[in-house]
Amino acid sequence: DADKERNDKFNANLAEFKKMYPNVRRVAIAGDEQEATGNEAIQLYTQAAKDLGMTVVTTASFQTRTTDFSSIAIKIRSTF
């Protein structure tokens, strides 16, 4: 099933991150809001983080042509 494969891929990616940074407990997730895959990725990574016992402190969206991510960085920084 394609959905299960996609979910497994996101879980595996985040599990690899967790192996590299085992002390990470809180994460922020950002994605491109104009792309359907960006919104889906935010949802999938959010669920994967929860499945791995991490707390998602915020999610942030940006537009495809964004070049200045400072407002997103400030939003994320304010949650930690």
Side-chain angles (χ1 to χ4, degrees):
D1 163 71
D3 287 341
K4 182 176 179 345
E5 262 184 55
R6 191 171 40 253
N7 290 352
D8 289 347
K9 177 183 170 186
F10 280 89
N11 287 344
N13 288 343
L14 204 53
E16 187 64 30
F17 172 83
K18 183 80 169 158
K19 280 184 198 174
M20 291 172 24
Y21 305 97
N23 296 326
V24 171
R25 303 279 183 254
R26 300 169 46 192
V27 295
I29 299 170
D32 186 339
E33 67 186 12
Q34 290 179 319
E35 296 290 327
T37 56
N39 286 324
E40 182 181 27
I42 290 171
Q43 293 172 1
L44 291 170
Y45 275 121
T46 298
Q47 186 58 52
K50 290 177 183 178
D51 292 347
L52 290 169
M54 291 186 250
T55 300
V56 178
V57 295
T58 192
T59 59
S61 299
F62 55 86
Q63 295 186 359
T64 303
R65 294 195 178 354
T66 299
T67 58
D68 180 1
F69 291 89
S70 59
S71 63
I72 295 168
I74 290 167
K75 176 185 177 184
I76 291 170
R77 180 71 177 127
S78 72
T79 64
F80 283 90

